Amino acid sequence: MRKRILYTESSKHVGGQELQAMMQLHALQHLGFEVLLACRPESEVAKLAAEKHIPIYPIIFRNSYHFPSLWRFRQLINEYHPLFIVSHSGHDANIAALATKLVWNKPTLVRQKTYLTSRIKPFSTNYLADQVVVPSAGMKRSMVAGGCR
């Protein structure tokens, strides 16, 4: 069985979260995993991935319920057969969650939360992810206090 991990990134620009994802993808490649990044075509993220020799799969990710993105992501899951899907941004995390509901070979959906906004939204973490990863015990406490399980 191939060890495949699919990352998602709907951001157009590169910041801390995107750099962190690139570092994780690079490290996973060195550990022998096949990785693929689903991201917006022509974005700064796609350009950075190309520079780092990380393969990309272009998806528009216009919004959390963009049907063409959802359908394309569903096709990607069926073709790529990832063990895990790792996402952190809102649009791509929601598209990934909805797409996994539409496939038979459901991969584990991991949601990374690297920062908290002023309003914690527990629905997506409670119902749209199999696992949630946070960088600190303090962030975990804040999320639990905000209604996340």
Side-chain angles (χ1 to χ4, degrees):
M1 178 193 299
R2 291 184 168 170
K3 302 184 303 183
R4 293 179 169 168
I5 299 178
L6 173 59
Y7 267 63
T8 66
E9 182 49 66
S10 62
S11 299
K12 294 177 186 176
H13 304 288
V14 174
Q17 291 182 132
E18 294 75 24
L19 292 173
Q20 179 186 38
M22 296 295 166
M23 290 171 56
Q24 291 170 354
L25 285 159
H26 186 71
L28 288 165
Q29 283 178 320
H30 283 283
L31 290 172
F33 287 90
E34 286 184 48
V35 299
L36 183 62
L37 174 63
C39 64
R40 292 178 184 220
E42 309 301 323
S43 66
E44 290 177 14
V45 172
K47 290 175 184 144
L48 180 60
E51 290 172 12
K52 298 196 173 287
H53 307 288
I54 295 169
I56 68 160
Y57 189 90
I59 297 182
I60 297 170
F61 291 122
R62 183 166 291 139
N63 58 49
S64 290
Y65 308 104
H66 185 242
F67 187 76
S69 296
L70 172 62
W71 193 253
R72 187 157 166 78
F73 199 85
R74 181 192 159 278
Q75 289 176 313
L76 172 58
I77 294 170
N78 283 330
E79 293 169 10
Y80 190 63
H81 303 289
L83 296 171
F84 296 94
I85 298 174
V86 181
S87 57
H88 68 79
S89 299
H91 296 331
D92 55 285
N94 291 338
I95 291 286
L98 293 171
T100 59
K101 306 291 186 207
L102 301 173
V103 296
W104 292 104
N105 57 331
K106 185 181 180 310
T108 299
L109 187 58
V110 178
R111 177 79 186 260
Q112 293 188 120
K113 294 291 287 181
T114 55
Y115 70 93
L116 292 176
T117 58
S118 58
R119 185 173 159 254
I120 295 173
K121 301 172 188 167
F123 180 81
S124 64
T125 55
N126 289 344
Y127 299 105
L128 299 182
D130 297 313
Q131 297 290 323
V132 178
V133 178
V134 296
S136 70
M139 181 178 279
K140 179 181 177 181
R141 284 191 299 274
S142 294
M143 290 182 68
V144 168
C148 299
R149 294 193 289 255

